[in-house]
Amino acid sequence: MLHPYQIFDTYLTDPVLPIANGAGVALVDTDGNEYIDAVGGMWCTNIGLGRDEMAQAIAVQARDLAYSNPFTDMTNVASVRLAERLAELAPGNLNRVFFTCGGSTANDAALRLIQYYWGVRGQPQRRHILSRADSYHGTTIATISLGGKAADRVPEFNYLTDDFHHLSSPNAYRYANGRNDQQFADDLVDELIAKVDSLGGPEHIAALFAEPVMGAGGVIPPPADYLQRIWRYCRDNEILFVADEVVTAFGRLGEWFASESLFGITPDIITCAKGLTSGYLPLGAASFSDEIFDVISEQGHGRYFAVGYTYSGHPVSCTAALKNIEIIEREGILDHVKAVGPYFMEQLETLADLPMVGDVRGSHLMGCVEFVADRDTKRNYPDEVGVGKRVSNEADKLGLIVRPIDNLNVMSPPLVISHAEVDAIVARLREAILAARAQLEAEGL
């Protein structure tokens, strides 16, 4: 099995962790060892693992209708009901839904929807797409090119460069350089305006993609009013604004969708996946506005939207999403996140007293600890040291799973996590950091 993001230097020597089962926030390996999954699978096991009613709903739907053709003139009841439910939950008039297989394909479909929209409107010169450094939007050839994570740009691959343009990262810890939050936001907005002008003005810009809180790029909350201002600039200049909520939607920040509720923006398109089914089955979606739909349907005569997947609107996946939404609503999980999320961040911040912890950041149940060799200068450990992986390896030994990304440990625990489990995460992570630090000191690093 070739794993996603396989590191070939270590795959024959470093053991993999074989998971046998899981329940709630816990995973159990094939030797019976139990772990707190502080990563929530891959930002996705929102309602927790091992839910009997989820398994039952999936089983019933698989017996009744395991699959039906989603193309053109056929549908299934579960996908229609889920589309209606997403339209109810999404902000503004994002009442139209295109179903995909996950987050990458949701963003890929959004890109093609944007191209189609401007083509139908007779403005094909609007081909430039804006994103940010440190962003992550998926791993298709289009979405990996759209993303701005330097670590994803490996020399063996070719990337699309003509139409994708990256603005600066909003990571204040790394790039504010003495500016306060508002000054940093001001400069980022000015950079956007200058970039648009350099590309020929707004009439050449198709869309801007932005995660409300960046995920895989390092859990980066936006500074001050930056996010609202770039959305407002896009709205005023007819640039489509896409909120990539693949991570942040369905409760990760205590809301169904974070864009409007937390940041006061109403995007033209919202993409989602992960928490949509809490990881029980693969599913993604791109919700888009009535205005976009009206253009492509009313002005699209003689054309067709040539985008589709065999598993678009898969009835079993859509049933899992409907049951997931029902559970989140019935159990008041959004309110639980609003209570436990701030506690999670407060407890993580207690790690800031450790010498190798440079920054602790995040929001609600998205957290990140950044490790540095020198706190005063923010100097990183060399890449070959693998400091994030060293800490996560020590955490594994203590029954804690965190996600290493370069010099970071990223966490996104299931939304049902308790205050006591938060305490256990932070205590074990502290011990893991101290153990890794001792290793580094012993090696003269």
Side-chain angles (χ1 to χ4, degrees):
M1 174 180 174
L2 179 65
H3 290 260
Y5 283 73
Q6 180 71 68
I7 300 171
F8 293 103
D9 288 343
T10 59
Y11 84 110
L12 289 177
T13 55
D14 283 5
V16 296
L17 183 60
I19 300 301
N21 52 66
V25 305
L27 296 173
V28 180
D29 68 19
T30 50
D31 291 327
N33 300 308
E34 185 171 308
Y35 306 81
I36 297 176
D37 181 14
V39 187
M42 185 62 76
W43 317 89
C44 62
T45 58
N46 289 14
I47 63 170
L49 297 171
R51 293 264 188 165
D52 286 341
E53 62 180 308
M54 283 292 285
Q56 179 67 17
I58 289 167
V60 169
Q61 181 62 59
R63 283 194 296 268
D64 290 348
L65 178 66
Y67 179 80
S68 70
N69 181 349
F71 279 55
T72 310
D73 58 358
M74 188 177 292
T75 191
N76 65 77
V77 173
S79 65
V80 173
R81 287 179 174 166
L82 180 58
E84 180 182 40
R85 197 75 181 92
L86 292 181
E88 293 170 355
L89 297 174
N93 62 354
L94 275 68
N95 295 318
R96 310 293 174 164
V97 182
F98 184 82
F99 288 117
T100 71
C101 308
S104 294
T105 46
N107 281 318
D108 197 286
L111 283 166
R112 299 176 73 188
L113 175 64
I114 289 161
Q115 289 179 331
Y116 193 79
Y117 169 81
W118 287 119
V120 168
R121 282 194 60 180
Q123 299 185 48
Q125 80 282 359
R126 283 189 182 257
R127 61 185 181 85
H128 295 295
I129 306 288
L130 303 178
S131 178
R132 284 99 53 83
D134 290 338
S135 65
Y136 179 80
H137 298 292
T139 191
T140 67
I141 183 59
T143 55
I144 201 72
S145 301
L146 171 67
K149 277 182 63 189
D152 286 342
R153 300 301 176 106
V154 298
E156 293 77 15
F157 289 143
N158 299 316
Y159 298 87
L160 307 177
T161 58
D162 289 349
D163 296 339
F164 295 113
H165 309 274
H166 296 93
L167 303 164
S168 295
S169 169
N171 185 337
Y173 175 70
R174 281 290 167 190
Y175 306 117
N177 296 325
R179 290 168 288 180
N180 65 33
D181 218 39
Q182 190 61 63
Q183 291 168 334
F184 187 41
D186 292 345
D187 289 344
L188 290 171
V189 173
D190 289 344
E191 181 196 26
L192 165 63
I193 297 169
K195 172 61 77 174
V196 170
D197 289 344
S198 74
L199 293 170
E203 62 272 19
H204 291 88
I205 312 300
L208 185 152
F209 279 69
E211 302 155 273
V213 174
M214 283 185 169
V219 185
I220 303 167
D225 55 0
Y226 154 74
L227 198 65
Q228 189 178 71
R229 288 169 65 191
I230 63 171
W231 163 71
R232 193 179 302 124
Y233 174 84
C234 289
R235 181 198 62 191
D236 293 346
N237 289 278
E238 285 197 276
I239 298 169
L240 296 178
F241 190 99
V242 185
D244 179 344
E245 293 222 36
V246 170
V247 170
T248 55
F250 298 98
R252 179 62 50 198
L253 300 181
E255 305 286 348
W256 291 112
F257 294 97
S259 294
E260 186 176 65
S261 300
L262 295 182
F263 299 104
I265 64 176
T266 306
D268 301 286
I269 301 172
I270 290 180
T271 54
C272 63
K274 296 190 185 293
L276 176 57
T277 66
S278 283
Y280 277 79
L281 285 174
L283 185 65
S287 295
F288 59 101
S289 68
D290 287 336
E291 287 87 352
I292 292 175
F293 182 80
D294 290 345
V295 167
I296 66 173
S297 61
E298 294 173 9
Q299 299 181 33
H301 300 297
R303 305 178 176 94
Y304 63 97
F305 185 57
V307 181
Y309 307 98
T310 300
Y311 300 114
S312 292
H314 192 284
V316 186
S317 293
C318 289
T319 294
L322 286 164
K323 178 58 69 172
N324 177 63
I325 291 169
E326 176 194 320
I327 291 169
I328 292 173
E329 203 164 40
R330 185 180 72 234
E331 297 185 1
I333 289 175
L334 299 184
D335 288 336
H336 175 71
V337 173
K338 290 172 185 173
V340 77
Y343 181 75
F344 175 63
M345 289 308 307
E346 288 169 6
Q347 296 310 301
L348 274 187
E349 286 163 6
T350 65
L351 300 173
D353 67 326
L354 298 174
M356 62 188 282
V357 173
D359 192 32
V360 178
R361 57 181 177 266
S363 179
H364 294 78
L365 292 180
M366 288 179 72
C368 172
V369 178
E370 180 165 348
F371 304 113
V372 292
D374 188 297
R375 281 164 46 127
D376 293 333
T377 64
K378 303 180 184 178
R379 176 172 57 85
N380 284 328
Y381 287 96
D383 290 345
E384 59 270 20
V385 170
V387 64
K389 187 69 167 71
R390 285 185 185 235
V391 175
S392 73
N393 287 346
E394 293 302 317
D396 285 350
K397 298 173 187 176
L398 299 167
L400 173 67
I401 295 175
V402 294
R403 184 183 178 191
I405 303 177
D406 300 323
N407 59 324
L408 314 174
N409 277 179
V410 166
M411 285 151 282
S412 51
L415 309 187
V416 293
I417 193 164
S418 68
H419 286 73
E421 287 163 337
V422 167
D423 292 341
I425 288 173
V426 176
R428 294 179 194 183
L429 184 54
R430 174 177 287 273
E431 189 174 343
I433 295 169
L434 291 171
R437 173 76 174 186
Q439 281 181 11
L440 294 168
E441 289 177 343
E443 296 172 27
L445 296 170

